[in-house]
Amino acid sequence: MEKQPRLLASQLFLKNSVFEVLLNGVLLTWKEIPANKKVISGSIHHPLKVGTSHSVSVSEILAVRELHVDGGTKDDGRWQKMSQKLTEAYPYAFTVSYVERARQHRWRCSDVTFHCSEWALCQQWVQTIREQLTALTSRPKHLLVYINPYGGKQQGKCIYEQKVAPLFACASISTDVIVTEHANHARDHLKTEAELKKYDGVVCVGGDGMFSEIVHGLVSRTQRDNGVDQNSPEEKLVPCTLRIGIIPAGSTDCICYATVGINDPVTSALHVIVGDSQPMDVCSVHHNNTFLRYSVSLLGYGFYGDVLADSERKRWMGPARYDFSGFKKFLTHHHYEGAVSFLPATDTLGTPRDKTRCRAGCFICQHDGQLYSGDSQEESKTAPDVSDREYEVGWGVVRGKFLAINAASMSCACPRSPKGLSPAAHLADGTTDLILVRKCSRFNFLRHLLRHTSKDDQFDMTFVEVHRVRRFRFTPRHCQNDSELDLRENGKQLFSQICRDHPACSSAYSSWNCDGEILPHAAIEVGVHCQLIKLFARGIEEQPLFEDLANPPCAL
Ligand SMILES: CCCCCCCCCCCCC/C=C/[C@@H](O)[C@H](COP(=O)(O)O)NC(=O)CCCCC
Ligand SMILES: Nc1ncnc2c1ncn2[C@@H]1O[C@H](COP(=O)(O)OP(=O)(O)O)[C@@H](O)[C@H]1O
Ligand SMILES: [Ca+2]
């Protein structure tokens, strides 16, 4: 039989007032008691504001600790503020640390200290809260942490030590911390060495590139352990069991921002502590039946590929390199010719033009994005994946000259664009939004880009089209007849030369930006793997209405 959580109700002292405190297994509530209703012994009289009430979900309590009496003084500053009389009447106390919501999806750790007149009562409260916290099985106890000391503004180590480690310690989470010494250190450690059984999750401190390393390490390891061949584009991949936490310390931090609603290290650490879980789609990228990379956020050819390639040479500028290269590449205004073929997700709930957004507890993601009758749980288990051949019918093809070809398997919201590249994309529906920006004037492209930062629809432009897809392929124009040259072997400069010399080529070549890494091939095949990984996040929580109104629309 399931053990019922113990109920506790007491009158406890807090901030010069007496409160009715209640713990019922789901909520901890404390409510001020009017002075005339107080039953606690003692001669304390306070003019009370009646009815101040607070409540905290037990699932959002981080820790409880007793405050120890030591020669009449306590180890917490607040004790000093209490009068001698009060200290005598309520000599025992315990502090509950819990999640408090601030503006714009920011979470903070807040403390409340309750004072008791009896030691046994104080013990009972501490033990009961601890029991209820122990019963929360989704919380991690032991984590493997990787810190990229060179991500973003090179603050990763300091952010972890000052803001995150104390919270993990407060929540009794033990950690093994590795500060990376070179690129792909974390990926290779996860792939081959890490004793994953010891851990309840992996945390990365860094940006999207660092997160991508963790994803590659964990996904590759999981496939190898299960005998799955990553090189086959049709292969159904095995989902990873360990959750990943992101402590944002990078340049774009889009994966953190789009799954939590803010890029704030404390907020992310608190989502890890409470044991949140958010499944996420992962795209696998192949070239000629050879696995290239996984992508979780943006796969971008043309504008975003060029921005990334240019910005890599300016890493010393930190996050500002993207603004510099973005401006430069906007002025360059290159377009690229090729063919995009794609398998539309016709059987899915939702479209890229929806006004609704993927938010915490998203209905569409809970059903793997599947449009099904809903009368059988089993039906959702047969959701099509990239490996299901029967879905290979009905491909569409678009040929032409493009300024940008972007695939966003999530919104890609980030501080630069709070609604993202594809505002209605879903984190875990098994699809990616393929955005094709055809050649247009600089002015129109600017209008399109600026709409990423306003409430206006960036897809509502004649030169932009967007498709929700399960798979797609891109073939640059020069590959449509000949076999593609290997960009890595022959170098991009050679390509530009061939392109200039070749009468059929009207434009230069770009490269793919895959979550901040340049791909070595332009001709790629991409498939979405529904919910392949899980994050310590819950999706963006709905905001109170008054906060939403704080962002007025801007039209261009
Ligand atoms: C004139 C106003 C223009 C405003 C346009 C804003 C559009 C921004 C959309 C950004 C989407 C970002 C998608 C995420 C990409 C990251 O994976 C990648 C690597 O991140 P990190 O490892 O943290 O460095 N970031 C980028 O490719 C940067 C793109 C920025 C382009 C301006
Ligand atoms: N110790 C290290 N030295 C150099 N590069 C590293 C190190 N650790 C990780 N990297 C690489 O740095 C790149 C950028 O990291 P990231 O944390 O995403 O920062 P940013 O958001 O600024 O790009 C990643 O591709 C990652 O592989
Ligand atoms: Ca998706």
Side-chain angles (χ1 to χ4, degrees), residues 258-261 271 277-278 358-361 427 537-541:
T259 53
V260 173
H271 280 280
S277 186
Q278 171 65 52
C358 180
R359 291 289 178 259
L427 291 168
R538 60 174 62 172
I540 299 176
E541 294 183 310

Side-chain angles (χ1 to χ4, degrees), residues 385-441:
D385 202 279
V386 288
S387 58
D388 288 348
R389 272 271 163 206
E390 63 195 275
Y391 286 88
E392 298 263 331
V393 289
W395 282 66
V397 184
V398 178
R399 289 188 179 81
K401 296 174 180 171
F402 304 97
L403 288 177
I405 297 166
N406 301 322
S409 42
M410 53 189 272
S411 71
C412 291
C414 59
R416 276 187 182 79
S417 169
K419 65 178 183 176
L421 280 179
S422 191
H426 287 271
L427 291 168
D429 66 342
T431 72
T432 187
D433 288 352
L434 185 61
I435 305 158
L436 308 176
V437 185
R438 288 179 184 274
K439 185 184 167 195
C440 63
S441 68

Side-chain angles (χ1 to χ4, degrees), residues 208-209 251-254 297-298 304 321-322 414 450 513 515-516:
D208 295 336
S251 300
T252 312
D253 294 327
C254 124
S297 57
L298 166 70
Y304 290 101
R321 70 189 184 279
Y322 290 136
C414 59
L450 282 174
N513 171 345
D515 290 358

Side-chain angles (χ1 to χ4, degrees), residues 48-95:
L48 283 173
K49 266 197 287 155
V50 180
T52 315
S53 176
H54 300 265
S55 103
V56 172
S57 164
V58 171
S59 66
E60 292 180 3
I61 292 178
L62 308 172
V64 57
R65 62 191 181 280
E66 241 176 289
L67 295 184
H68 295 289
V69 184
D70 180 21
T73 58
K74 312 288 171 183
D75 61 357
D76 183 289
R78 272 160 296 197
W79 276 94
Q80 314 302 331
K81 291 183 200 141
M82 287 179 70
S83 69
Q84 180 70 29
K85 209 169 179 183
L86 287 179
T87 320
E88 278 165 22
Y90 299 97
Y92 307 100
F94 64 94
T95 299

Side-chain angles (χ1 to χ4, degrees), residues 26-43:
V26 178
L27 288 176
L28 171 70
T29 51
W30 58 101
K31 188 174 179 187
E32 243 177 326
I33 299 175
N36 57 0
K37 287 198 184 160
K38 270 188 278 179
V39 293
I40 282 186
S41 58
S43 55

